[in-house]
Amino acid sequence: MRELPPTAGLPLPLPELFGARGGFSRAAQDYVGAPYAGLACSGTASLVLILTALRRLSGCRTVIVPAYTCPLVALAVAHCGLRLRLCDLAADSLDFDMKALAAMCDEDTLAIMPTHLAGRVARVAPVLRLARERGVFVIEDAAQSFGARRGGQSVGLEGDAGFFSFAAGKGLSLYEGGLWVTRDPALAAAIERAQDDIIKRDAWREFRRCLELAAYALFYRPAFLPWVYGMPLRRALKKGNLPSAVGDIFSPEILLHHVGGWRQGAGRRALSRLQAFHQQTADQAMRRLAVLDRLPGVLVFRDMEDEEGTWPCLMLCLPDQDRRNRTLGVLWGAGLGVTRMFIHALPDYGYLRSCVPQDACPNARDLAARSLTITNSLWLDDTGFARVTDALEQVA
Ligand SMILES: *Cc1c(COP(=O)(O)O)cnc(C)c1O
């Protein structure tokens, strides 16, 4: 029995867990070329630090995020005592509907968060233009896109601040980790102050994270993934509990603690292999995009001329929800790494009702209804990929 992961995580050879400690924070900062950066215990924690800093610099209290994004973003905004607004996406796009964004941005807007989903490079420039006119900050959510670039520059550095995630399933993993980045020295100082105020040492949590990272290194391989990923997935699908099938249900409690030297050492060694890994996954993605392009009615999200995204998965849209569901009826749970990104637009998660407004978001709902993802793990060989394209072709 074999099971493929839903994204192309960088596998961790066990010996790499041992060796000199520390150094990941600096190495990750150099990797993206950020003038200022800091390591945090998750992408969410990085966002909490950025929001805490901005909240102290401004009287504004509203944060605008895409209506289709990670539920943790909504929880982070609530954690910081800020008000959330949801902006719809443009049709058949991962970018904001700019007209809706311009209409929504008002005197109370503190920040707008363009989001680089699935390794793709979001269009930050128009958001930045609008934000500059209105005196609003731009935070790039690059949690899924560490290593992605536009015009040779890393994502996360075009706006005022940005953050990355090193959670399991997001490429390079510390099991949990995050990096905030900025080019602005004053903002960097404010984020560092927030860090000193709210990040605590927590030896017990860190010890658990070390065990989790070791378990991740051990089990992240096709022979063991049925136990840690495939079986829980199929159980949730059988119960019809889709949000828990894809891991969309999070606790509102956000952990804020330091990342220890042992995990940092492992991360630093993994980072030295990341560029070559991204090259391999990009090559595989290019070959497979060409195959998917020949299928009728399949829209695959891809890069523009000057963009070099990363390829954790291929995210695609089918013509309608019925065809998407029939495709997943064949492929979801088949062990081939085909799944969905987030199940719902943010207003449609029952457990987020208290912190998410019911803003209109037809395009975000449409994306949730018509999209699916195919893993770009190097373990998905051409035979496996042909099974995926056969199913897509049959349903089309
Ligand atoms: C995963 C994710 C986050 C949060 O990152 P964590 O490291 O899991 O806390 C934020 N935004 C997006 C788009 C994500 O996918």
Side-chain angles (χ1 to χ4, degrees):
M1 198 162 63
R2 254 168 77 89
E3 178 91 35
L4 301 182
T7 57
L10 177 69
L12 286 183
L14 287 170
E16 228 177 60
L17 293 175
F18 307 98
R21 297 156 61 92
F24 178 74
S25 180
R26 184 72 217 191
Q29 176 178 1
D30 291 346
Y31 192 86
V32 291
Y36 305 94
L39 187 64
C41 63
S42 66
T44 309
S46 315
L47 176 58
V48 165
L49 291 176
I50 295 168
L51 290 174
T52 303
L54 295 183
R55 195 180 196 280
R56 290 170 176 178
L57 295 172
S58 161
C60 299
R61 290 293 174 260
T62 301
V63 180
I64 303 179
V65 312
Y68 188 76
T69 191
C70 179
L72 285 166
V73 170
L75 295 174
V77 171
H79 175 95
C80 295
L82 296 165
R83 185 175 324 126
L84 187 70
R85 289 295 311 269
L86 306 180
C87 181
D88 202 6
L89 306 177
D92 281 337
S93 166
L94 302 177
D95 287 306
F96 281 124
D97 173 343
M98 285 306 301
K99 248 172 130 173
L101 186 63
M104 182 171 281
C105 193
D106 63 20
E107 321 73 70
D108 192 55
T109 307
L110 173 66
I112 307 173
M113 287 183 49
T115 299
H116 304 279
L117 223 50
R120 308 286 42 81
V121 181
R123 296 185 58 221
V124 179
V127 179
L128 204 53
R129 266 195 303 279
L130 175 75
R132 289 292 175 262
E133 273 168 30
R134 314 274 173 103
V136 168
F137 292 104
V138 172
I139 306 169
E140 288 177 61
D141 179 342
Q144 299 189 5
S145 298
F146 183 73
R149 291 167 189 273
R150 170 183 281 115
Q153 173 179 268
S154 168
V155 296
L157 296 171
E158 205 174 338
D160 296 289
F163 67 94
F164 302 96
S165 166
F166 305 112
K170 303 217 178 168
L172 190 158
S173 181
L174 305 176
Y175 197 79
E176 290 282 3
L179 188 80
W180 59 264
V181 295
T182 178
R183 287 184 291 112
D184 180 339
L187 184 51
I191 298 173
E192 273 160 13
R193 271 197 302 281
Q195 209 165 251
D196 292 341
D197 293 343
I198 62 180
I199 305 294
K200 303 285 175 240
R201 270 180 57 88
D202 187 334
W204 167 236
R205 281 282 172 201
E206 182 56 27
F207 175 67
R208 278 182 43 184
R209 288 286 184 249
C210 291
L211 292 181
E212 284 166 330
L213 182 63
Y216 173 85
L218 187 60
F219 287 105
Y220 195 77
R221 51 196 85 218
F224 292 152
L225 278 167
W227 279 276
V228 290
Y229 172 66
M231 272 152 41
L233 167 70
R234 282 180 281 276
R235 210 175 309 127
L237 289 179
K238 207 160 162 194
K239 283 197 213 141
N241 190 346
L242 304 188
S244 85
V246 302
D248 274 355
I249 309 291
F250 299 96
S251 148
E253 186 207 2
I254 295 173
L255 298 178
L256 298 162
H257 62 90
H258 286 292
V259 176
W262 188 77
R263 284 198 297 148
Q264 281 208 49
R268 177 170 46 75
R269 286 181 284 281
L271 188 59
S272 68
R273 295 182 288 117
L274 188 65
Q275 199 166 10
F277 180 73
H278 277 160
Q279 189 60 54
Q280 280 180 296
T281 51
D283 290 347
Q284 174 169 278
M286 291 310 120
R287 288 201 309 276
R288 292 185 173 173
L289 283 180
V291 176
L292 292 170
D293 281 342
R294 291 199 289 271
L295 301 179
V298 173
L299 166 75
V300 193
F301 294 106
R302 59 210 312 154
D303 291 343
M304 310 254 268
E305 189 88 34
D306 59 340
E307 299 167 353
E308 293 168 77
T310 56
W311 296 93
C313 59
L314 306 173
M315 184 165 178
L316 35 111
C317 259
L318 297 193
D320 52 59
Q321 179 168 26
D322 177 57
R323 270 179 260 213
R324 194 281 309 271
N325 287 351
R326 278 190 288 141
T327 309
L328 285 180
V330 180
L331 295 174
W332 214 356
L336 292 166
V338 174
T339 182
R340 284 165 64 178
M341 179 71 73
F342 310 118
I343 294 298
H344 297 306
L346 286 182
D348 300 330
Y349 291 98
Y351 84 104
L352 292 178
R353 280 290 145 72
S354 62
C355 62
V356 168
Q358 292 294 310
D359 289 320
C361 54
N363 293 332
R365 284 189 166 128
D366 187 55
L367 180 67
R370 292 197 291 123
S371 61
L372 60 86
T373 59
I374 306 170
T375 186
N376 192 39
S377 165
L378 299 172
W379 291 320
L380 178 63
D381 57 19
D382 289 342
T383 315
F385 185 67
R387 281 178 62 195
V388 175
T389 50
D390 283 351
L392 282 165
E393 213 162 359
Q394 241 147 55
V395 170

